[in-house]
């Protein structure tokens, strides 16, 4: 008997391969142009030929049939489809190769006490911790000053992805919201991989599909992107533009958690602005 989770992963793999095939440019694969309506896309037969996979087998993969592709087949498809390393890892994880260890459904809604103490020790630097399904399990006073007091948010809504797509204030706080919201979806999908069939993940995705057209468009694009530390811009209503560097760490004793920390970019006036913001919060 095939579990619902494995069926979900087969469907995700098929939809992802289909989406990537339709984005290919024929010339990049050395294929000649063709004339006629609807034939400018790269066809399944051409992907299968370039990858050394039978047409029937590749068609079944795109259709999410109950088959088990070998790692070699997926490696060949990744080369043909011009997948990035993160995308390559994503399809391998969906098929059960080199996937992260299965993580049970979260049984708590708060960070372990020592992780929360670590957050609080990062005085002056906004920081929070998220669970595998991006529920926010802890935060510090500096993050409350940057965003808001998450204790006032219902636990069911205290999820980073949910807030990005449903909180108007957070959208105003992120002047590059359109770009960054899609990037967050691509990162979430890359990290979720084989866990997408777990109830906490599927519930979140279904809620967002119903609540946000922007999320639906980003989700259906099947973009995949690995996390990378980078500079972020926040436009705060009190102190103005904050240029912050974005980092993410995993506690060695709780590797399924992610600690997210923001530090000010030293070549800007953001250190002074952030100190003023955190100072004002401590006096309210």
């Amino acid at each position: 008997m095939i579990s619902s989770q494995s069926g979900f992963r087969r469907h995700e793999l098929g939809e992802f391969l289909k989406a990537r095939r339709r984005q290919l440019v024929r010339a990049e694969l050395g294929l000649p142009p063709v004339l006629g309506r609807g034939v400018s896309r790269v066809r399944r037969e051409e992907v299968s030929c370039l990858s050394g996979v039978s047409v029937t087998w590749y068609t079944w993969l795109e259709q999410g049939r109950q088959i088990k592709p070998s790692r070699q087949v997926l490696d060949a498809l990744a080369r043909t489809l011009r997948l990035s390393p993160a995308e390559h890892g994503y399809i391998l994880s969906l098929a059960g190769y080199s996937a992260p260890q299965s993580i049970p459904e979260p049984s708590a809604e708060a960070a372990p006490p020592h992780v929360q103490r670590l957050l609080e020790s990062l005085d002056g630097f906004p920081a929070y911790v998220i669970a595998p399904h991006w529920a926010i399990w802890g935060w510090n006073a500096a993050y409350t000053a940057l965003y808001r007091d998450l204790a006032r948010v219902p636990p069911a809504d205290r999820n980073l992805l949910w807030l990005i797509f449903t909180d108007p204030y957070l959208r105003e706080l992120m002047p590059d919201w359109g770009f960054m919201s899609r990037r967050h979806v691509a990162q979430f999908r890359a990290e979720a991989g084989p866990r997408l069939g777990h109830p906490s993940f599927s519930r979140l995705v279904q809620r967002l599909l119903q609540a946000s057209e922007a999320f639906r468009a980003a989700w259906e694009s099947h973009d995949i992107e690995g996390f990378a530390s980078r500079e972020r811009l926040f436009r705060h209503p009190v102190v103005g533009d904050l240029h912050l560097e974005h980092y993410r760490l995993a506690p060695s004793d709780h590797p399924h958690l992610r600690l997210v920390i923001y530090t000010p970019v030293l070549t800007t006036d953001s250190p002074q602005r952030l100190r003023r913001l955190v100072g004002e919060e401590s006096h309210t």
Side-chain angles (χ1 to χ4, degrees):
M1 180 177 179
I2 301 299
S3 71
S4 60
Q5 290 182 22
S6 61
F8 189 93
R9 291 196 294 269
R10 287 197 305 271
H11 173 76
E12 283 293 309
L13 176 60
E15 290 297 308
F16 180 78
L17 293 174
K18 187 188 306 180
R20 283 296 169 270
R21 174 175 60 83
R22 290 176 173 175
Q23 292 175 11
L24 288 174
V25 178
R26 297 182 62 83
E28 291 180 354
L29 300 183
L31 297 172
V34 290
L35 301 177
R37 183 178 179 182
V39 294
S40 61
R41 290 176 175 171
V42 176
R43 293 170 289 194
R44 287 173 175 168
E45 295 85 349
E46 292 165 327
V47 170
S48 65
C49 180
L50 291 170
S51 305
V53 181
S54 76
V55 177
T56 300
W57 191 256
Y58 180 72
T59 299
W60 285 354
L61 279 177
E62 281 200 359
Q63 293 174 344
R65 297 281 192 95
Q66 188 178 329
I67 59 175
K68 175 69 173 179
S70 69
R71 187 183 186 108
Q72 290 74 19
V73 164
L74 295 175
D75 290 343
L77 289 173
R79 290 191 293 270
T80 299
L81 297 174
R82 303 294 197 267
L83 300 188
S84 68
E87 292 169 333
H88 189 179
Y90 177 67
I91 65 170
L92 288 174
S93 70
L94 287 176
Y97 298 107
S98 300
Q101 291 226 331
S102 178
I103 296 176
E105 279 291 294
S107 58
E109 293 181 351
H114 69 285
V115 175
Q116 182 60 44
R117 289 194 295 271
L118 175 59
L119 288 173
E120 293 168 357
S121 72
L122 297 170
D123 187 31
F125 301 115
Y128 60 91
V129 65
I130 55 175
H133 57 311
W134 286 24
I136 302 175
W137 279 6
W139 58 93
N140 63 8
Y143 189 71
T144 295
L146 174 65
Y147 176 36
R148 61 167 162 154
D149 185 4
L150 288 169
R152 300 179 181 178
V153 176
D157 295 343
R158 207 177 294 158
N159 180 284
L160 180 60
L161 206 58
W162 175 261
L163 293 172
I164 286 172
F165 282 93
T166 63
D167 187 351
Y169 175 73
L170 186 55
R171 184 180 293 217
E172 292 296 320
L173 193 64
M174 300 165 59
D176 53 356
W177 182 89
F179 173 74
M180 288 305 304
S181 61
R182 293 182 68 91
R183 170 171 278 173
H184 277 85
V185 173
Q187 291 173 355
F188 176 82
R189 185 188 282 276
E191 294 170 12
R195 294 190 292 268
L196 282 174
H198 283 226
S200 58
F201 289 82
S202 57
R203 282 195 301 267
L204 173 64
V205 171
Q206 289 305 314
R207 284 187 73 200
L208 281 164
L209 288 173
Q210 295 173 13
S212 171
E213 288 296 326
F215 175 82
R216 179 182 294 275
W219 187 254
E220 292 178 351
S221 73
H222 288 268
D223 288 338
I224 297 294
E225 183 174 342
F227 176 85
S229 296
R230 53 174 53 90
E231 184 176 325
R232 294 285 306 279
L233 172 63
F234 294 96
R235 186 152 292 155
H236 198 275
V238 176
V239 297
D241 286 357
L242 288 167
H243 297 268
L244 306 178
E245 290 183 316
H246 183 204
Y247 301 96
R248 196 169 66 174
L249 310 172
S252 60
D253 54 347
H254 290 278
H256 59 289
L257 298 180
R258 294 294 180 267
L259 195 67
V260 181
I261 305 168
Y262 294 101
T263 62
V265 177
L266 299 180
T267 55
T268 70
D269 61 355
S270 293
Q272 296 88 343
R273 290 175 184 256
L274 185 60
R275 281 196 297 269
R276 180 159 66 90
L277 177 63
V278 173
E280 289 182 359
E281 173 66 22
S282 65
H283 290 92
T284 58

